[in-house]
Amino acid sequence: MDRTVTELLRANEGHAREFASRFDAVQEAQHPEAVTVCCSDSRVLQDHVFDNHTPGRLFTCGNIGNRVVQRTAVGDTVSGDVLYPLEHTGTRVAVVVGHTGCGAVTATYAALTDGLSEPPGIEHCLDLLGPHLEPGVDMLPDGLDEADAVNRLVEYNVDRQVGVLLDSDDVPDDTDVVGVVYDFQDVYGGERGEVHVVNVDGERDVATLRDAHPAVADRIRRLWEY
């Protein structure tokens, strides 16, 4: 067996010892407080981002580009893995988590501007992001380097995914939908690893959001007002 797999199994022994009793309350059912939709990037440790060590607290989804959309026979719909806790476990908070330097956004930006060739599976994922990002690409200020352009599009993508959830008839009306960006590159001027709120239920204006949510005002900021 590959050494990496052996090491992972050994590491699981410590996890099992620590968590054994933490599963008592969730043996038969789950009622997570929130569903989080993160990018499946190895640098984004979804539970650790929120210091979560409680089984059953967060329903975590991951894919490249933190998408909430999947393509079905009836067209693009809210992805089943995102919708499941909203439909079946009473969850009423959805958090879309983008991150600085996102590879999926970078690749989609390249596909929309210069063209890009990827294997069909990756191409499918980028095709799901493309229609949501294309208007943002057209609005980018002149003179940005690629890194700055991508990080603005990271915010734009989070906004678009929040919008999909808010506009969907499948998402309960009383669901709170929040868009955040996880920053491990010092882009937002805070600490590495901080999460910054960029969208709450479709509202993007920083001053408005800070007035409405003073308890987290220091975590509300944007790179791009458009």
Side-chain angles (χ1 to χ4, degrees), residues 101-219:
C102 179
V105 172
T106 301
T108 305
Y109 177 52
L112 290 170
T113 54
D114 299 320
L116 187 70
S117 177
E118 291 283 3
I122 297 175
E123 188 175 79
H124 171 76
C125 295
L126 300 183
D127 284 347
L128 289 172
L129 279 180
H132 298 279
L133 287 184
E134 190 167 14
V137 171
D138 293 339
M139 289 191 294
L140 285 170
D142 294 334
L144 294 178
D145 63 22
E146 182 181 82
D148 286 338
V150 165
N151 284 324
R152 281 160 176 76
L153 290 174
V154 164
E155 284 187 351
Y156 190 84
N157 182 45
V158 167
D159 292 336
R160 299 285 73 74
Q161 304 305 317
V162 167
V164 168
L165 294 176
L166 293 174
D167 291 342
S168 173
D169 292 336
D170 293 327
V171 174
D173 291 339
D174 58 345
T175 302
D176 292 322
V177 184
V178 179
V180 305
V181 176
Y182 177 61
D183 182 16
F184 50 79
Q185 298 176 324
D186 305 319
V187 172
Y188 284 80
E191 295 290 335
R192 288 184 180 178
E194 282 187 348
V195 170
H196 300 285
V197 177
V198 299
N199 191 311
V200 178
D201 291 327
E203 179 59 65
R204 305 192 315 262
D205 181 72
V206 170
T208 300
L209 289 173
R210 286 177 175 171
D211 286 343
H213 308 282
V216 292
D218 62 328
R219 290 299 187 86

Side-chain angles (χ1 to χ4, degrees), residues 64-139:
I64 61 171
N66 43 273
R67 306 180 318 275
V68 304
V69 176
Q70 70 182 55
R71 190 153 292 157
T72 72
V74 298
D76 290 357
T77 63
V78 174
S79 179
D81 50 2
V82 179
L83 193 58
Y84 182 87
L86 302 177
E87 181 73 17
H88 292 291
T89 70
T91 305
R92 287 297 179 268
V93 176
V95 184
V96 178
V97 186
H99 69 89
T100 53
C102 179
V105 172
T106 301
T108 305
Y109 177 52
L112 290 170
T113 54
D114 299 320
L116 187 70
S117 177
E118 291 283 3
I122 297 175
E123 188 175 79
H124 171 76
C125 295
L126 300 183
D127 284 347
L128 289 172
L129 279 180
H132 298 279
L133 287 184
E134 190 167 14
V137 171
D138 293 339
M139 289 191 294

